[in-house]
Amino acid sequence: GDKAFAQFLTDEIKEEKKIQKHKSLPKISGGWELEVHGTEAKLVRKIAGEKITVTFNINNSIPPSAEEDTQEQQKPDEQEPELTSTPNFVVEIIKDDTKQNLVLDCHFPEDEIGHEGEEESDIFTIREVSFQPTEEADWKDTNYTLNTDSLDWALYDHLMDFLADRGVDNTFADELIELSTALEHQEYIKFLEDLKSFVKCQ
């Protein structure tokens, strides 16, 4: 059984490498520096007196496919729909002269993906906003967190503009999806390789 499993994994790895779009991770325009630790990625950008960091984790970032119903109509030679990784991401804005940083928790609403061409439609939304002390390693639940569900639209728009002025806009979000998808695929291939070594290990 293990031998067949290992053979299957070998073929699977070969296939996945064939469809791998990026041999190295795509860059994000706008002078962001990328750090990757396993499944977590951090993008850092410094502008006048501020440091902006965007953190995301690729685990559980591929939305469940809505293609379930259309399986029957799919012709055998058609490519499987491409998987896209749309992780939640956290934007932190740290001003040099304050002891607090503004934290915005953003996500990609599932129904928004793939509706390009809509007028001025944002592909990501801000879910929560809070202030967190800069020194603290762990964020506190005791700090007031503003949930945007019940937020005044004008205030929400200003928050979105505030992010856009710092380089976090639709273009950034598109590139983040591409980066995350490439990272997820890379980790998946690595996982298959590790699994193959594990299965073969006597």
Side-chain angles (χ1 to χ4, degrees), residues 129-190:
V129 189
S130 66
F131 280 107
Q132 297 294 345
T134 328
E135 283 79 46
E136 303 289 329
D138 294 323
W139 292 340
K140 294 189 166 69
D141 285 338
T142 50
N143 289 1
Y144 177 74
T145 300
L146 174 67
N147 190 310
T148 56
D149 288 346
S150 52
L151 199 58
D152 180 316
W153 275 105
L155 175 53
Y156 182 83
D157 285 344
H158 278 297
L159 283 169
M160 288 299 271
D161 291 344
F162 185 78
L163 282 182
D165 289 343
R166 282 150 183 81
V168 180
D169 52 14
N170 276 350
T171 307
F172 172 86
D174 273 332
E175 291 179 359
L176 185 133
I177 289 176
E178 195 166 323
L179 168 64
S180 181
T181 302
L183 185 59
E184 203 283 333
H185 199 202
Q186 190 175 291
E187 285 295 317
Y188 176 60
I189 291 171
K190 196 164 142 288

Side-chain angles (χ1 to χ4, degrees), residues 16 33 76 78 85 90 96 104 117 120-121 134 150 177 180 199:
E16 289 297 331
E33 281 168 37
E78 272 181 33
S85 162
V90 175
D96 293 349
L104 299 104
E120 293 294 307
S121 172
T134 328
S150 52
I177 289 176
S180 181
V199 169

Side-chain angles (χ1 to χ4, degrees), residues 83-109:
L83 294 177
T84 309
S85 162
T86 50
N88 297 344
F89 59 98
V90 175
V91 184
E92 280 177 79
I93 298 162
I94 303 153
K95 288 189 187 269
D96 293 349
D97 48 2
T98 64
K99 291 278 174 280
Q100 286 185 314
N101 44 1
L102 182 65
V103 178
L104 299 104
D105 195 340
C106 304
H107 77 143
F108 294 100

